[in-house]
Amino acid sequence: MDSPPVSSLLDFSGKIAIVTGAGGGLGQGLARRFAEAGASVVVHYNSSEVDAQNVTRQIRELGGNAIAVQGDLTQDKDAARLMQRAIEQFERLDVLINNAGAYPMHSVLDMTPSDWDHVVDANLRSVFLCTQAAAKVMKEQGCGAIINITSIESKNPAPNHSHYNAAKGAVSMFTRASAFELAPHGIRVNAVAPGLIWREGLERDWPDGVQRWQKTAPLKRLGLPEDVADACLFLASPGARWITGASLLVDGGVMTHQIF
């Protein structure tokens, strides 16, 4: 197999990417960055319609191509419909970024079964349903890349987040298992595990946490959505053509910190 020229590795012109949960801060950054690389983007949202439409408008104003699609991705019909809208609009699907999720806090002692189900469904069930629906499309094409956004919490537990920790840990293993099964169809599946990502108002809402992070992380800053997006661009690109089933930490080096 001939290697593609280096100059073309991050050129997504003519490619179609779906970003789930693209109404939120990280998802918005993912959608904008893939559009900047030349991809046509399906901006998925569940409840954040205004934000998703704003991202879609921004992409179009910069000369890109994007549509916004609503759906509850814990429901198989909505996951399938999301893929179908991409095909109807753009006639193919090259990249799926499973970014949608939920991030509430509950202690193990106080968590209700419905609290648990909500977080596991939002962060794990949605990944399964979207991966399955996208893989059926990509199998017919003979190629595709799926990237799951996990978290450093898939490897390092955080207080009051046992449901989220468990769901993201499961997504990490699902990434490896689906990568193994889908490789014969030309579909690569990888994960990106971000650390603390900046959002508007974070320093105000959690000043002590931000300070602890900046003190602990070797690179001494919070992550930006673009930091995660660039890792996703790499894993979706021909530059990662021999990489599948991997999980890439994007955390400013915080997981190198000696805990004991």
Side-chain angles (χ1 to χ4, degrees):
M1 177 187 297
D2 293 333
S3 298
V6 171
S7 60
S8 71
L9 291 183
L10 295 183
D11 182 1
F12 282 76
S13 300
K15 303 295 185 181
I16 313 304
I18 292 176
V19 180
T20 71
L26 176 55
Q28 291 177 31
L30 291 165
R32 284 192 292 261
R33 202 67 161 169
F34 269 83
E36 186 180 346
S40 296
V41 183
V42 178
V43 177
H44 161 267
Y45 68 96
N46 187 11
S47 58
S48 304
E49 180 177 8
V50 172
D51 292 329
Q53 293 292 357
N54 284 341
V55 172
T56 302
R57 186 187 70 254
Q58 291 167 7
I59 290 172
R60 290 173 175 171
E61 288 175 350
L62 293 173
N65 200 0
I67 60 170
V69 179
Q70 190 277 335
D72 177 0
L73 300 182
T74 67
Q75 304 300 312
D76 56 350
K77 291 182 179 179
D78 281 17
R81 183 170 58 84
L82 177 61
M83 309 308 153
Q84 186 59 38
R85 285 288 288 116
I87 297 302
E88 291 172 355
Q89 184 73 25
F90 301 116
E91 299 184 348
R92 63 178 292 112
L93 173 58
D94 298 287
V95 181
L96 168 66
I97 310 294
N98 280 315
N99 170 68
Y103 194 76
M105 299 180 73
H106 301 97
S107 74
V108 171
L109 291 174
D110 298 330
M111 187 186 307
T112 67
S114 61
D115 292 333
W116 174 273
D117 290 344
H118 170 65
V119 171
V120 172
D121 285 353
N123 292 283
L124 177 58
R125 177 181 169 89
S126 67
V127 170
F128 157 63
L129 291 175
C130 287
T131 296
Q132 183 183 66
K136 290 178 179 179
V137 174
M138 293 173 174
K139 177 182 176 182
E140 297 302 314
Q141 299 170 172
C143 63
I146 298 172
I147 300 166
N148 300 322
I149 304 300
T150 59
S151 169
I152 60 170
E153 291 186 33
S154 68
K155 301 177 181 297
N156 191 58
N160 298 318
H161 256 179
S162 60
H163 45 9
Y164 183 81
N165 299 157
K168 289 300 188 180
V171 173
S172 293
M173 180 51 73
F174 179 72
T175 298
R176 295 175 63 190
S178 57
F180 179 75
E181 290 191 28
L182 297 176
H185 306 295
I187 303 168
R188 296 184 299 106
V189 187
N190 291 291
V192 171
L196 185 60
I197 304 301
W198 180 87
R199 61 169 173 79
E200 189 70 39
L202 180 61
E203 294 91 342
R204 178 193 66 241
D205 297 339
W206 197 35
D208 58 327
V210 170
Q211 291 172 6
R212 289 199 308 271
W213 178 275
Q214 291 172 329
K215 181 179 180 180
T216 302
L219 295 184
K220 301 300 182 185
R221 69 169 174 87
L222 303 182
L224 297 174
E226 291 78 10
D227 295 320
V228 180
D230 289 354
C232 292
L233 281 170
F234 164 67
L235 288 174
S237 78
R241 59 194 174 275
W242 208 49
I243 301 174
T244 195
S247 179
L248 177 59
L249 283 170
V250 182
D251 67 346
V254 76
M255 290 292 282
T256 67
H257 182 64
Q258 186 175 2
I259 298 173
F260 299 107

